[in-house]
Amino acid sequence: MEMVFVYTTFPDMETAKGIVRELLHRKLIACANLREHESIYTWKGEIREEREVGAILKTAVEKWKALKESLRELHPYEVPLILRIDVDRVNSEYAKWLEEVLS
């Protein structure tokens, strides 16, 4: 099973956890790492600074399209980041676990 990471951000931890739980329930991801951080970005011509939650979602490449569509459906942002990161190598024990969880 070919593994990918999907990176996205959420406005707060409660939203992140709710959406991650739904993605787990749909078997679109095996797990997620959530981390609060400060974001500085331009939105509609203004520089903004806000707290966000970054999420690294771990899944299989064959789940990518369905995961992307689910994130678009569930995400509260008008323009969400949905970034796929291809994983070159992963240890076999983790790959086996990922396959079991997503099957």
Side-chain angles (χ1 to χ4, degrees):
M1 177 172 284
E2 190 178 347
M3 182 178 173
V4 296
F5 288 164
V6 176
Y7 181 74
T8 190
T9 56
F10 296 102
D12 54 60
M13 190 62 78
E14 182 180 336
T15 301
K17 286 181 176 181
I19 291 174
V20 164
R21 284 188 184 101
E22 179 60 24
L23 297 173
L24 288 164
H25 178 72
R26 294 181 187 189
K27 290 193 175 253
L28 294 175
I29 63 171
C31 71
N33 297 116
L34 305 176
R35 185 90 55 206
E36 289 183 321
H37 59 260
E38 292 289 325
S39 291
I40 303 172
Y41 59 95
T42 300
W43 180 248
K44 297 186 178 180
E46 292 182 22
I47 295 175
R48 304 192 55 178
E49 295 184 33
E50 296 180 0
R51 295 202 51 82
E52 282 189 308
V53 174
I56 298 173
L57 311 174
K58 300 168 190 173
T59 193
V61 71
E62 56 264 20
K63 303 277 186 172
W64 160 243
K65 288 181 183 177
L67 175 56
K68 183 172 54 171
E69 291 307 313
S70 291
L71 280 170
R72 284 183 175 138
E73 168 199 337
L74 300 168
H75 212 289
Y77 286 169
E78 185 178 333
V79 181
L81 166 66
I82 306 170
L83 173 70
R84 176 176 145 176
I85 303 166
D86 292 332
V87 175
D88 184 39
R89 292 185 177 97
V90 65
N91 63 308
S92 60
E93 302 88 355
Y94 195 90
K96 183 179 177 185
W97 171 80
L98 185 86
E99 187 171 5
E100 288 172 4
V101 170
L102 294 175
S103 296

